[in-house]
Amino acid sequence: MIESCYRNEMKYIVSSSTRQLLSRRLKKVFKMDPHADENGYLVKSVYFDDFYDGVLMDNLMGAPLREKFRIRYYNDDTEVIHLEKKVKVMNKGLKRITRITLDEAMRMINGDYGFLREKEDELLKEFYAKAKQNGLRAKIIVIYRREPYVFHAGNVRVTLDDEIKNSTEVTRFFDPSIPLLPQGRDCLMEVKFDHVLPDIVKDVIQTPETRQTAHSKYGISRLIQL
């Protein structure tokens, strides 16, 4: 299991034209994430929630402590699939990750959790306990194109996410032909860093539109589909 430390997280909604401006600026100053090509990469996630949609309610109410589980893979590569747990404490985030197989992912998406009882991985054991206790079920698929940049000082990561789409047909998560509902034309910029955001990063991302938001791809996608 891969576990990161708590990092500062800031989000901004920007127009497609401002996204193009930011992309040009970022390319001049930062390095592209080594896992991405010139077009970034495709991110596909399926999110879980409980009987009472507690994850969604915490999101909408802005609860100071929130957590959610998701299964994620990139560029339609089903050889590398992860179960992730995202924890938010105010504006700081922590992500825990463990690798699962395609068969395991499909069983979890279909609500078949019994096989997890025998797992030694701590994150899988936690998911199983909470799935049984709270009735976790796969609720929605969120897919988008990500353009990621990294900056060594401050361990900064800036991502531009657009073409955000979603679907409630969770059992078709690994189907590349699944019909998707667009979330809108705007782009979500996320900025993550350890302690202090360097001034050069502040300068690069600053535009007339750069205003912080609490936007959640999961929350917006669920509301669109209700």
Side-chain angles (χ1 to χ4, degrees), residues 158-173:
V158 180
T159 55
L160 302 174
D161 299 340
D162 59 5
E163 302 177 30
I164 305 171
K165 303 172 184 177
N166 57 73
S167 172
T168 56
E169 296 187 59
V170 293
T171 57
R172 296 181 64 184
F173 181 47

Side-chain angles (χ1 to χ4, degrees), residues 46-64:
V46 59
Y47 289 86
F48 293 79
D49 210 331
D50 59 30
F51 285 130
Y52 306 102
D53 281 332
V55 175
L56 177 61
M57 293 301 103
D58 284 349
N59 187 280
L60 295 178
M61 293 186 296

Side-chain angles (χ1 to χ4, degrees), residues 137-171:
R137 290 293 183 271
K139 292 294 181 79
I140 199 159
I141 295 167
V142 181
I143 297 174
Y144 54 91
R145 175 69 56 180
R146 166 163 284 179
E147 189 176 318
Y149 296 89
V150 293
F151 186 69
H152 178 71
N155 191 21
V156 178
R157 181 177 176 84
V158 180
T159 55
L160 302 174
D161 299 340
D162 59 5
E163 302 177 30
I164 305 171
K165 303 172 184 177
N166 57 73
S167 172
T168 56
E169 296 187 59
V170 293
T171 57

